[in-house]
Amino acid sequence: MSKSIHRKEYAALIEVVRDARLAAGLTQLQVSRKLGRSQSFISDVETGKRRIDLVELRDIARLAGLSLGTLIADFERRLKD
């Protein structure tokens, strides 16, 4: 099995993350500052160059005004499509 970062499921996850950020009206810079990370970190996450862990995923969800469960539910829906 290939590394998760190269799988279609991971592409769906980063799409969910990016879409949540955009729906919340947040820029990469705003998210990065709130997380105490560089803007390039968020860019690398959203382009699939960098993995995020569950804690970081939860932080991003909360910044977008979502619960981790809601973000994961959206991810699961996209996998079914």
Side-chain angles (χ1 to χ4, degrees), residues 31 38 46 49 81:
V31 171
S38 67
E46 292 186 2
K49 293 178 185 172
D81 293 339

mmCIF file of all heavy atoms in Angstrom, residues 31 38 46 49 81:
data_model
loop_
_atom_site.group_PDB
_atom_site.id
_atom_site.type_symbol
_atom_site.label_atom_id
_atom_site.label_comp_id
_atom_site.label_asym_id
_atom_site.label_seq_id
_atom_site.Cartn_x
_atom_site.Cartn_y
_atom_site.Cartn_z
ATOM 1 N N VAL A 31 -4.740 31.744 9.118
ATOM 2 C CA VAL A 31 -4.704 30.442 9.792
ATOM 3 C C VAL A 31 -3.316 30.190 10.367
ATOM 4 O O VAL A 31 -3.184 29.770 11.523
ATOM 5 C CB VAL A 31 -5.126 29.310 8.828
ATOM 6 C CG1 VAL A 31 -4.876 27.944 9.443
ATOM 7 C CG2 VAL A 31 -6.582 29.458 8.433
ATOM 8 N N SER A 38 4.152 29.018 10.048
ATOM 9 C CA SER A 38 4.404 29.869 8.893
ATOM 10 C C SER A 38 3.304 29.681 7.849
ATOM 11 O O SER A 38 2.632 28.639 7.825
ATOM 12 C CB SER A 38 5.755 29.520 8.268
ATOM 13 O OG SER A 38 5.701 28.222 7.703
ATOM 14 N N GLU A 46 -1.956 22.240 2.262
ATOM 15 C CA GLU A 46 -3.010 22.303 1.250
ATOM 16 C C GLU A 46 -2.578 21.813 -0.127
ATOM 17 O O GLU A 46 -3.420 21.541 -0.968
ATOM 18 C CB GLU A 46 -3.576 23.720 1.166
ATOM 19 C CG GLU A 46 -4.344 24.103 2.426
ATOM 20 C CD GLU A 46 -5.041 25.445 2.314
ATOM 21 O OE1 GLU A 46 -4.974 26.091 1.241
ATOM 22 O OE2 GLU A 46 -5.664 25.855 3.311
ATOM 23 N N LYS A 49 2.116 18.556 0.331
ATOM 24 C CA LYS A 49 3.557 18.387 0.536
ATOM 25 C C LYS A 49 3.888 18.043 1.985
ATOM 26 O O LYS A 49 4.967 17.547 2.272
ATOM 27 C CB LYS A 49 4.306 19.665 0.151
ATOM 28 C CG LYS A 49 4.248 19.972 -1.314
ATOM 29 C CD LYS A 49 4.956 21.269 -1.612
ATOM 30 C CE LYS A 49 4.796 21.641 -3.072
ATOM 31 N NZ LYS A 49 5.311 22.981 -3.346
ATOM 32 N N ASP A 81 -18.564 9.840 -2.841
ATOM 33 C CA ASP A 81 -18.941 10.398 -4.151
ATOM 34 C C ASP A 81 -18.070 9.859 -5.253
ATOM 35 O O ASP A 81 -16.990 9.469 -5.176
ATOM 36 C CB ASP A 81 -18.847 11.927 -4.139
ATOM 37 C CG ASP A 81 -19.900 12.533 -3.207
ATOM 38 O OD1 ASP A 81 -20.887 11.863 -2.906
ATOM 39 O OD2 ASP A 81 -19.713 13.690 -2.803
#
